[in-house]
Amino acid sequence: RSLSLAHLSLNSKVVCLDIIQDEHVTQLVEVLEESTSPRILSYLATVVFNIVKFEALRERLVALNVIQSLSACLTNSDTDVCIAACKALAALVADSSAREELLKTNALGSLVSILKESSNKEVLRKAAWTIGICVANEDMAKELNKNGALRVLMDMCTNDIQGVSNLAVVALEKLLHYDLAAKYWHMGCLSQTDVVKDGFYDTGAHKPGDDFKPIKLLLDRKVDNKRAVLYVSSLGADPEPADLKSEASTTGSTTNVKTGRGTAKGKKPHKPEEKKEEIPEPEPPKELKDTGKPRVDNALREYIEEVTATIAPLATQAEQIAALSLYVSNQMGGPVTSISALSYDLHIAQIKADLKTNVIPIGFIKRGIFYHRALLFKVLADRVGLPASLVRGEYNRAWNEVSLVEGGKSKHYLVDLMWEPGQLLEVGSHGAGVYKKL
């Protein structure tokens, strides 16, 4: 009977409407859940696929928990069952409600397992194709990455199996589009249209054979002497009382748009002849230690408020870039004459020890070098609508590139945040090359 239904429902909305009636569809889902026959399971999964091609009929199937049943079919050793389940799930996840239900199952993990373990070309093709369709939002992308999708798709992109590598490339591109932390880890570049949001983190460049690690795993690691993981969190999971702010955020600093220099609220700017104020060390809030979650970054929150109020209103992009460059530089220790004199490594080590984690909110860093400053510039530029890319180089170098229209032509510049903050170095010039290298 299941074979007959599979044939009859093919491209026939009348038959599909008849099946979707309460009694028939309930029986279909029950058999799909309980049957152990590969033939029956593959035929019924095909019936589901035929039904969900008609958009108006999908909601009823989703409500009957058919996604859970199809998810179980993905672990079946029969290739026909896996292929039919992949096709049905790919058709179902066109609806947002179906995607929400899919996240409640282990379907995404099962799809990744198929890519890792199957040797059947058609099964691999259908699994890669289904993953490419499933990646429709950030939640789906992050769930796939938790299950190791990034590494397996990277490997499959170089696979010689005809038809598999192309589908893996498409799935990987979509995965990286919705998970910018993974994209930056893998590609070392975020474009001007990639907007960095809360939850982004920078683990450093990936190495051959290394896996992209979820933030939970990075938070659980003991403090070590490796490169700190930079985290973006201006809001946090829960609103916190004012007494939980870091020292950096309670100083009430504001910034002069022209100079980029911070001044205390309600006080006059320091005179040039006065002694330069020492860079404050952020004191992590005790109440936030050992929570197993990234810290709330009140300093970054205030940075965003300040640049939104003072830099976003500037008349031209050139003015915005200059002002933001100075602002970022001054939050990270000012212009640098010697990296060793900045003592950024000791500063970072102290923050890691205080927070008892290798994951550091970007706003906690008050002595930063290339990659710290470049990330902060990108975060703030995105918040004020200033197009800027983020590019990773070697040996802890990173930089931002911006575009300006001059004389009717678009020119591309690298933004100096270290030596002469605010200086624009034309991409391809000697100066830009020097900035990128040791």
Side-chain angles (χ1 to χ4, degrees):
R1 186 183 177 187
S2 56
L3 175 60
S4 299
L5 284 175
H7 287 304
L8 290 170
S9 60
L10 181 64
N11 297 324
S12 175
K13 190 171 184 179
V14 174
V15 174
C16 290
L17 281 168
D18 183 54
I19 296 172
I20 207 71
Q21 299 305 313
D22 288 346
E23 184 179 346
H24 295 155
V25 74
T26 302
Q27 290 176 353
L28 183 152
V29 175
E30 287 176 352
V31 175
L32 193 59
E33 289 176 351
E34 299 170 2
S35 178
T36 58
S37 168
R39 289 184 63 189
I40 291 176
L41 290 173
S42 63
Y43 292 149
L44 290 181
T46 300
V47 173
V48 172
F49 171 70
N50 292 339
I51 292 173
V52 299
K53 284 190 292 185
F54 301 103
E55 184 177 351
L57 306 182
R58 292 176 194 156
E59 187 176 345
R60 176 65 177 149
L61 279 173
V62 173
L64 287 171
N65 208 25
V66 73
I67 289 178
Q68 180 66 54
S69 302
L70 292 171
S71 175
C73 288
L74 293 175
T75 62
N76 197 289
S77 59
D78 186 87
T79 57
D80 289 336
V81 175
C82 286
I83 291 170
C86 283
K87 290 172 62 178
L89 283 170
L92 272 168
V93 295
D95 289 345
S96 59
S97 60
R99 292 194 291 270
E100 292 175 5
E101 291 301 315
L102 187 68
L103 284 170
K104 297 176 184 178
T105 72
N106 193 40
L108 296 178
S110 297
L111 286 168
V112 175
S113 295
I114 290 173
L115 296 185
K116 291 178 180 178
E117 301 166 7
S118 179
S119 58
N120 183 284
K121 172 185 170 182
E122 190 59 25
V123 171
L124 289 172
R125 290 184 73 255
K126 283 296 185 289
W129 171 67
T130 304
I131 286 177
I133 293 175
C134 285
V135 187
N137 57 40
E138 292 181 15
D139 290 337
M140 303 285 267
K142 290 180 179 179
E143 184 63 27
L144 281 163
N145 278 335
K146 286 180 184 178
N147 285 280
L150 185 59
R151 166 52 58 188
V152 71
L153 287 173
M154 287 167 57
D155 293 341
M156 288 183 69
C157 287
T158 59
N159 199 315
D160 292 331
I161 300 177
Q162 186 178 7
V164 175
S165 59
N166 291 339
L167 290 168
V169 168
V170 172
L172 180 61
E173 288 177 350
K174 292 187 69 176
L175 192 66
L176 297 177
H177 173 75
Y178 285 108
D179 193 338
L180 294 186
K183 180 177 182 178
Y184 192 49
W185 172 82
H186 175 55
M187 302 184 69
C189 179
L190 296 181
S191 71
Q192 294 184 0
T193 57
D194 289 326
V195 177
V196 174
K197 301 176 183 178
D198 279 11
F200 176 90
Y201 57 101
D202 173 19
T203 64
H206 86 270
K207 299 176 182 178
D210 197 11
D211 291 325
F212 179 69
K213 297 174 177 61
I215 192 66
K216 177 70 167 62
L217 180 61
L218 296 170
L219 282 165
D220 290 341
R221 283 188 169 181
K222 292 183 179 179
V223 175
D224 54 36
N225 59 0
K226 295 181 180 179
R227 180 190 184 280
V229 176
L230 307 183
Y231 191 78
V232 177
S233 175
S234 64
L235 297 177
D238 302 298
E240 77 285 9
D243 61 349
L244 294 189
K245 290 186 178 182
S246 67
E247 179 180 335
S249 64
T250 56
T251 55
S253 63
T254 58
T255 299
N256 184 291
V257 171
K258 298 294 185 182
T259 65
R261 295 190 178 93
T263 61
K265 290 181 180 179
K267 295 183 179 180
K268 296 180 179 180
H270 291 293
K271 295 180 181 180
E273 64 270 14
E274 290 180 351
K275 184 178 179 181
K276 185 179 179 181
E277 185 178 353
E278 292 185 1
I279 301 166
E281 290 285 355
E283 177 64 28
K286 295 180 180 179
E287 293 85 346
L288 292 178
K289 291 182 180 179
D290 302 321
T291 61
K293 298 179 181 179
R295 275 58 178 173
V296 177
D297 195 343
N298 291 287
L300 178 60
R301 185 184 304 175
E302 292 200 354
Y303 294 169
I304 292 170
E305 292 174 354
E306 289 181 4
V307 299
T308 300
T310 60
I311 294 177
L314 294 177
T316 67
Q317 285 192 350
E319 290 178 286
Q320 291 176 327
I321 292 167
L324 186 59
S325 302
L326 288 168
Y327 183 90
V328 168
S329 173
N330 281 290
Q331 305 311 319
M332 289 279 182
V336 177
T337 55
S338 168
I339 291 180
S340 59
L342 190 63
S343 298
Y344 81 94
D345 48 352
L346 295 176
H347 172 63
I348 299 294
Q350 185 60 56
I351 298 174
K352 288 164 67 173
D354 289 339
L355 295 178
K356 298 181 180 178
T357 178
N358 296 303
V359 179
I360 300 179
I362 189 66
F364 278 66
I365 299 173
K366 303 303 166 192
R367 297 176 195 163
I369 59 169
F370 296 90
Y371 68 98
H372 307 116
R373 298 180 184 214
L375 176 57
L376 181 58
F377 185 93
K378 172 63 174 170
V379 171
L380 297 179
D382 286 345
R383 299 303 173 100
V384 298
L386 178 62
S389 65
L390 174 64
V391 185
R392 190 198 309 282
E394 297 180 340
Y395 307 109
N396 288 331
R397 295 290 167 114
W399 57 88
N400 307 100
E401 294 181 6
V402 296
S403 301
L404 292 175
V405 177
E406 298 175 353
K409 295 182 179 180
S410 179
K411 289 191 175 183
H412 306 289
Y413 294 96
L414 182 153
V415 182
D416 186 345
L417 301 173
M418 288 285 291
W419 317 116
E420 297 181 40
Q423 180 182 211
L424 297 182
L425 307 168
E426 189 168 0
V427 172
S429 68
H430 174 72
V434 171
Y435 191 90
K436 297 176 182 179
K437 300 177 181 178
L438 287 174

